[in-house]
Amino acid sequence: MRPAVVFGLLHAGLAVTRSLGRTGIPVTGISWNRHEFGLKSRYLRKRRLVARGDGAAVLEAVRSEGERVVFFPERDENVEWALEHWDDARAVADMPLPDDPEAVVRLRRKDLLPVVAAEAEVPSPGTVLADGDEAVRDANLRPPVVVKAVEGQEFALTFGHKAVVAQDVDEALRVAREARDRGFHTIIQEIVPDSHERVYSLLAYVARDGRPLVTLVGRKVRQGPLRFGTSAVFEVDYEPRVLDQGLRLLRTAGYTGIAHVEFAQDPRDGEFRVLEVNTRLPVWAALAANRHLDLPRIVYDDLSGREVAPLPTFQSDLTWIYLAKDVYVSFQMARRRELGPRQFLSDYLRRPKARAVFARDDPWPAVASLTYLRSRTP
């Protein structure tokens, strides 16, 4: 079997490692952070820790496999590495990304995504690139609005949030200026009101010939930070409009590979508006790495040249839970009287679960995740 290389070893990278390693595929893990708990997985054949930002060292680690690999970049920063080293990486690896890097950029960049969405006739919130006060004011956005980085994860690490809410345009411009002073390009976007409990996602893997081989639609149950965070609890919840619009958006962009397309349902008209597209696995990737649906293995087989038949959209009753984060988020919601004990417990007792970190056959990453959480605490 061809070796697989997983670059980034948090929740999604760990899910890929376990999925492939359990079937006997040799997996090498590469990380920029020694606290990434996936490094402790028993299913890694080799582990390579390289200095953060050392792209040449990552490329050398891939080349040292001695043969062509199947390469899984886990997070935005790992996809950025692939884009920056596109030709060199493609010379030694097959990746779940399209042949044209411009298709990746058009979906990843939040200032370009609304253009693609309009071409695909997919609704999106009002959005403007914050490159000047006049352009922002001329956009006539309806407050409250949210300020987000155009792409990447560094904004969240700097400001402590993926997005900053502003009650009016003047406040949004102040945030955008501060972000610009720190080196970030941002967008200002209308907030879809009262939609935090109606945030849906399509997870898809589209083969190079354009066939969607895997599709899954689900909904955020709880997230942290509240309103604009990543999932703490995520459940399969089929919504055909999310499936249709998400696939139409990917086709319009000419995108193939792994994609996570996020929508918010607008209570004013019932429309689903696209918020962002991640050209990699979501944090809840373990939801699609189970005995009924093994997305990482399907991706591996397809990129290895094996014949893979498309699967029906996954609709099994399944919930992904990140316990450590959910306890914290649920406590915040309880203080705001937004969550009661019965509702909290129902997500743990009612449905089959996919755990974010713990696995009986691979317990050490769960232990290491405690060190990771401490390393993230100021």
Side-chain angles (χ1 to χ4, degrees):
M1 289 185 173
R2 289 172 58 184
V5 174
V6 180
F7 182 27
L9 290 158
L10 294 177
H11 303 88
L14 176 60
V16 174
T17 297
R18 285 171 170 165
S19 167
L20 301 182
R22 284 168 178 152
T23 62
I25 296 170
V27 182
T28 294
I30 302 177
S31 174
W32 275 331
N33 184 345
R34 64 186 178 87
H35 292 301
E36 291 190 353
F37 44 81
L39 286 166
K40 299 298 183 180
S41 175
R42 61 176 289 206
Y43 291 108
L44 284 177
R45 181 189 61 169
K46 291 186 287 188
R47 300 162 179 81
R48 299 197 179 271
L49 184 63
V50 300
R52 173 166 287 279
D54 191 343
V58 175
L59 186 61
E60 182 56 36
V62 177
R63 285 174 173 158
S64 70
E65 293 295 312
E67 58 183 303
R68 190 169 186 81
V69 307
V70 178
F71 183 86
F72 291 84
E74 184 194 29
R75 299 185 305 284
D76 287 341
E77 62 186 14
N78 309 119
V79 174
E80 286 171 10
W81 174 88
L83 291 171
E84 291 169 0
H85 299 82
W86 189 255
D87 291 335
D88 289 334
R90 283 166 53 86
V92 294
D94 291 296
M95 302 180 288
L97 294 168
D99 291 333
D100 181 6
E102 186 61 26
V104 182
V105 174
R106 291 183 74 204
L107 292 177
R108 276 168 48 90
R109 285 185 60 103
K110 295 180 179 63
D111 58 331
L112 300 180
L113 177 60
V115 178
V116 183
E119 293 173 3
E121 298 182 347
V122 172
S124 63
T127 304
V128 61
L129 180 66
D131 61 351
D133 290 13
E134 184 176 351
V136 173
R137 296 187 189 282
D138 288 346
N140 294 318
L141 300 180
R142 292 176 295 179
V145 294
V146 64
V147 182
K148 303 178 182 178
V150 165
E151 62 180 330
Q153 296 170 310
E154 293 299 319
F155 182 90
L157 296 176
T158 300
F159 289 91
H161 300 280
K162 288 175 57 178
V164 179
V165 177
Q167 297 304 315
D168 55 43
V169 171
D170 288 335
E171 183 183 355
L173 286 171
R174 286 195 297 271
V175 174
R177 291 188 204 104
E178 182 183 355
R180 188 163 53 246
D181 291 343
R182 298 193 186 193
F184 296 103
H185 296 288
T186 60
I187 61 158
I188 299 175
Q189 186 176 77
E190 292 181 351
I191 293 175
V192 180
D194 301 319
S195 63
H196 57 279
E197 293 184 347
R198 305 290 293 174
V199 176
Y200 282 76
S201 291
L202 166 67
L203 173 59
Y205 175 65
V206 182
R208 288 176 175 172
D209 62 7
R211 293 177 303 152
L213 299 184
V214 175
T215 51
L216 179 158
V217 175
R219 180 180 70 89
K220 279 182 182 180
V221 177
R222 287 189 287 277
Q223 58 188 303
L226 300 180
R227 304 291 190 272
F228 297 98
T230 56
S231 295
V233 178
F234 187 94
E235 67 180 15
V236 176
D237 188 356
Y238 179 64
E239 168 51 64
R241 286 176 291 172
V242 170
L243 175 66
D244 175 68
Q245 291 182 183
L247 290 179
R248 192 162 72 243
L249 183 71
L250 298 178
R251 283 196 302 270
T252 300
Y255 186 86
T256 60
I258 293 173
H260 166 219
V261 188
E262 190 170 78
F263 294 85
Q265 187 176 26
D266 194 328
R268 295 169 296 190
D269 56 14
E271 292 277 9
F272 285 91
R273 305 189 187 281
V274 64
L275 300 180
E276 64 180 21
V277 177
N278 297 310
T279 55
R280 39 85 176 167
L281 286 166
V283 66
W284 44 267
L287 197 70
N290 56 71
R291 61 190 179 91
H292 303 292
L293 173 64
D294 194 348
L295 184 149
R297 182 57 194 260
I298 291 170
V299 174
Y300 174 89
D301 285 346
D302 182 61
L303 294 180
S304 296
R306 298 182 175 90
E307 184 65 30
V308 181
L311 296 178
T313 298
F314 184 73
Q315 298 184 43
S316 295
D317 189 25
L318 191 61
T319 299
W320 176 89
I321 292 178
Y322 182 12
L323 178 61
K325 184 171 187 175
D326 189 37
V327 169
Y328 176 71
V329 168
S330 297
F331 177 73
Q332 289 181 301
M333 293 178 67
R335 292 183 62 182
R336 296 164 63 133
R337 301 184 184 277
E338 295 178 353
L339 182 70
R342 181 175 299 178
Q343 184 180 351
F344 172 80
L345 291 173
S346 69
D347 293 313
Y348 288 83
L349 301 176
R350 179 171 55 91
R351 310 182 91 192
K353 294 178 287 298
R355 295 180 175 87
V357 181
F358 179 76
R360 292 181 184 275
D361 63 335
D362 191 26
W364 286 112
V367 177
S369 70
L370 301 177
T371 301
Y372 169 75
L373 290 172
R374 285 198 297 269
S375 75
R376 300 271 295 180
T377 303

